[in-house]
Amino acid sequence: MTSIVNASTTHEGKGRRFHSELWANILTMGKQKTKKFAVMKRMINLKDNRIKDKDRAKPKEKKKKDPSALKEREVTKYPSCLFFQYNTQLGPPYHVIVDTNFINFSIKAKLDIVQSMMDCLYAKCIPCITDCVMAEIEKLGMKYRVALRIAKDPRFERLPCTHKGTYADDCLVQRVTQHKCYILATVDRDLKRRVRKIPGVPIMYISNHRFNIERMPDDYGAPRS
């Protein structure tokens, strides 16, 4: 009787083991073993105590700060032409750099660019156009051929560009920052926001079917918008 019981228990044990092995094989069937390539060996830290003294990296010595020493700070350099918020380099004849949007919006408002600039500033104005702005207008195609014809007007002064590409905003901001003798004419909000951070650069824009100017000294007869 005992031998029959022992045989049944061993049979049950073998059955359970078989089932567990079967489930383990089923679960591992989906997981494929991948070989590890280019396994890096762990390096000992150069400051480790196991390395000899001559080969060990020396800890950096911290310099003690002298509280009585003067602190040197870099102050942003402003050009000498700025007198507080006034730019002394600005004066007639005014050189106005024109943006692509400014030409298109002045056509839409039926405004003559040179005449409207003179009506705004009460002085002679020389509109300037960069190579990248001209390339932008040329890229717009036949729909903006009137703007291209205005841009090629002999009264417009051509400013050469040395940068790559035809993206004009960065070029205009850089030129206005470098040379403080220009007024920037644009309708683009993002470009206006960028130029407002540069001190001493007036911005010309279109509102109420006429040209207006902001950040211009009152001495030069700029109309207040």
Side-chain angles (χ1 to χ4, degrees):
M1 188 73 179
T2 53
S3 61
I4 294 164
V5 171
N6 289 332
S8 63
T9 51
T10 52
H11 182 69
E12 285 178 5
K14 285 178 181 178
R16 286 174 185 171
R17 200 180 303 143
F18 174 75
H19 282 296
S20 62
E21 287 176 1
L22 182 66
W23 275 109
N25 290 331
I26 289 164
L27 290 170
T28 55
M29 272 173 69
K31 296 177 182 178
Q32 294 179 354
K33 292 181 179 178
T34 54
K35 292 181 181 179
K36 291 182 179 180
F37 295 100
V39 178
M40 295 291 289
K41 291 182 179 179
R42 289 187 178 181
M43 299 283 288
I44 297 173
N45 192 2
L46 293 172
K47 294 179 183 177
D48 202 305
N49 294 325
R50 290 172 285 180
I51 300 172
K52 292 180 181 178
D53 293 338
K54 60 178 182 179
D55 298 329
R56 195 184 304 161
K58 293 179 182 179
K60 292 179 181 178
E61 294 180 0
K62 291 182 179 179
K63 292 181 180 178
K64 291 183 179 179
K65 292 181 180 179
D66 188 8
S68 61
L70 293 169
K71 292 179 181 178
E72 292 181 2
R73 293 179 182 175
E74 287 187 5
V75 181
T76 52
K77 292 179 180 179
Y78 289 105
S80 58
C81 63
L82 291 178
F83 180 74
F84 294 110
Q85 61 180 340
Y86 297 112
N87 186 358
T88 55
Q89 278 190 359
L90 288 172
Y94 297 106
H95 290 78
V96 186
I97 298 178
V98 180
D99 189 19
T100 313
N101 293 329
F102 191 83
I103 296 170
N104 292 333
F105 275 86
S106 60
I107 293 164
K108 197 179 283 186
K110 297 178 181 179
L111 293 168
D112 181 46
I113 292 174
V114 180
Q115 188 60 44
S116 299
M117 281 179 181
M118 288 196 286
D119 291 343
C120 177
L121 295 172
Y122 310 133
K124 186 184 177 182
C125 297
I126 302 166
C128 305
I129 190 161
T130 58
D131 289 342
C132 49
V133 173
M134 186 69 82
E136 268 188 0
I137 298 166
E138 285 172 358
K139 270 188 175 180
L140 293 171
M142 288 296 290
K143 192 178 178 182
Y144 295 89
R145 61 183 179 275
V146 180
L148 186 62
R149 197 184 302 162
I150 289 168
K152 288 180 178 178
D153 193 316
R155 293 178 294 177
F156 278 61
E157 188 181 317
R158 190 75 174 266
L159 301 174
C161 292
T162 54
H163 63 89
K164 293 179 181 178
T166 58
Y167 185 64
D169 287 10
D170 292 340
C171 174
L172 296 175
V173 170
Q174 188 182 357
R175 196 177 290 270
V176 159
T177 310
Q178 209 168 11
H179 309 287
K180 298 287 182 182
C181 59
Y182 292 116
I183 298 167
L184 186 68
T186 183
V187 192
D188 191 2
R189 285 182 181 178
D190 294 330
L191 187 57
K192 275 185 185 178
R193 199 177 295 118
R194 286 175 69 181
V195 174
R196 280 189 189 115
K197 293 175 184 177
I198 306 163
V201 181
I203 301 166
M204 189 176 280
Y205 60 97
I206 301 167
S207 68
N208 300 325
H209 294 279
R210 70 187 187 96
F211 290 179
N212 282 326
I213 197 153
E214 64 177 61
R215 301 173 69 196
M216 190 79 175
D218 298 331
D219 304 10
Y220 299 135
R224 291 179 182 179
S225 56

